Amino acid sequence: MPRLVDHDQRRAELAEAAIRVILREGLAGVTVRGVAAEAGWSTGSLRHYFANQYELQAYVVQATTDTLRRRVLPRVQRPRTQGSMVDQIASIMAEMLPLDDERREEYALWSAIVEWERQHPPEGGSATWNDQRALHRQCIAALRGHEPARELDQAMLPHRDAQVELWAAILHTFVDGLASQIVNTPGQVSADTAAQLLRSLLEAVPRARPDQHAQRPSPRTSE
């Protein structure tokens, strides 16, 4: 009898091969020929799953996004009870910085997703950017003394405290810039320096006054 083919498993194998290509060559290396060679397949076999490079890259970008979520979210979401609130938030933000081999790989994968989204702007904006902004929003809200969002959908929305939105944008921009410096100017920003800079920013976040906890949503929430 002919051997049954597990198509989901084969697609997973292709995604793993494509991720290895991204880490070595970037998104430009994710071609039908290049991924087929990495996976040990013929180009004809690969075209059974993907008719062209666009379909292949779109699948790989989604698989890469899922991979990043599986790798990063457990580290970000692990319970933190030691130290001050600044200490706890700093340890969460450090997970977004490429300070070791694992996180440098994650940064390379994230960069590939950004490149794809630049070439093919997604409807509704970048899912990866929105995920990251929600994380920064939650961290700033905690520093400001607000209760955390209980549902993911709530965390994705602008916060009722306009200062949370302002500082979440500042923190998001700061962490992205710091990560870029660590990768693109190696040796200029050490792990200790990155930690000190991050703490300095977090300590500058103003705490909310009691009346701000009941502040109504900003008009920007309807945009």
Side-chain angles (χ1 to χ4, degrees):
M1 293 180 62
R3 184 168 64 89
L4 296 177
V5 176
D6 185 335
H7 293 289
D8 289 340
Q9 177 61 34
R10 300 205 79 181
R11 279 177 169 266
E13 292 172 0
L14 285 174
E16 291 174 1
I19 286 173
R20 293 195 297 272
V21 172
I22 288 174
L23 293 174
R24 189 171 63 243
E25 304 175 36
L27 183 65
V30 180
T31 63
V32 171
R33 185 183 299 276
V35 174
E38 181 70 24
W41 291 23
S42 68
T43 56
S45 296
L46 190 61
R47 290 189 188 280
H48 177 74
Y49 294 91
F50 307 102
N52 51 50
Q53 181 170 319
Y54 175 87
E55 287 187 7
L56 172 63
Q57 288 191 340
Y59 173 76
V60 168
V61 165
Q62 184 57 57
T64 302
T65 300
D66 294 341
T67 296
L68 285 172
R69 284 174 174 167
R70 288 196 302 271
R71 286 173 61 163
V72 177
L73 281 178
R75 300 202 312 263
V76 168
Q77 294 176 337
R78 66 180 175 82
R80 290 171 168 83
T81 58
Q82 301 298 316
S84 67
M85 181 61 71
V86 168
D87 292 331
Q88 294 174 41
I89 299 302
S91 70
I92 293 173
M93 289 294 96
E95 298 295 351
M96 310 297 291
L97 296 176
L99 296 173
D100 55 29
D101 290 343
E102 181 178 16
R103 284 175 284 180
R104 280 189 286 272
E105 277 194 359
E106 291 163 0
Y107 185 86
L109 296 177
W110 175 80
S111 297
I113 295 171
V114 170
E115 175 63 17
W116 170 261
E117 291 178 339
R118 186 186 65 79
Q119 297 175 18
H120 310 280
E123 293 184 11
S126 166
T128 302
W129 187 95
N130 288 330
D131 284 351
Q132 292 176 344
R133 178 55 61 89
L135 173 63
H136 292 93
R137 180 180 292 119
Q138 286 280 76
C139 288
I140 294 297
L143 281 175
R144 294 270 295 165
H146 295 291
E147 289 293 322
R150 298 186 183 279
E151 302 292 338
L152 177 60
D153 289 348
Q154 184 183 358
M156 301 295 282
L157 296 174
H159 200 276
R160 66 181 184 273
D161 180 351
Q163 286 293 308
V164 168
E165 288 302 294
L166 172 63
W167 282 92
I170 293 171
L171 180 60
H172 193 170
T173 303
F174 178 87
V175 171
D176 277 0
L178 191 55
S180 177
Q181 288 190 8
I182 292 169
V183 169
N184 295 318
T185 53
Q188 296 301 306
V189 181
S190 68
D192 286 344
T193 297
Q196 291 169 5
L197 291 171
L198 186 54
R199 282 191 60 88
S200 294
L201 179 65
L202 295 174
E203 288 170 350
V205 176
R207 304 316 185 248
R209 300 189 308 271
D211 62 297
Q212 291 176 312
H213 289 276
Q215 186 174 337
R216 295 181 62 83
S218 165
R220 290 180 299 164
T221 59
S222 61
E223 295 180 357

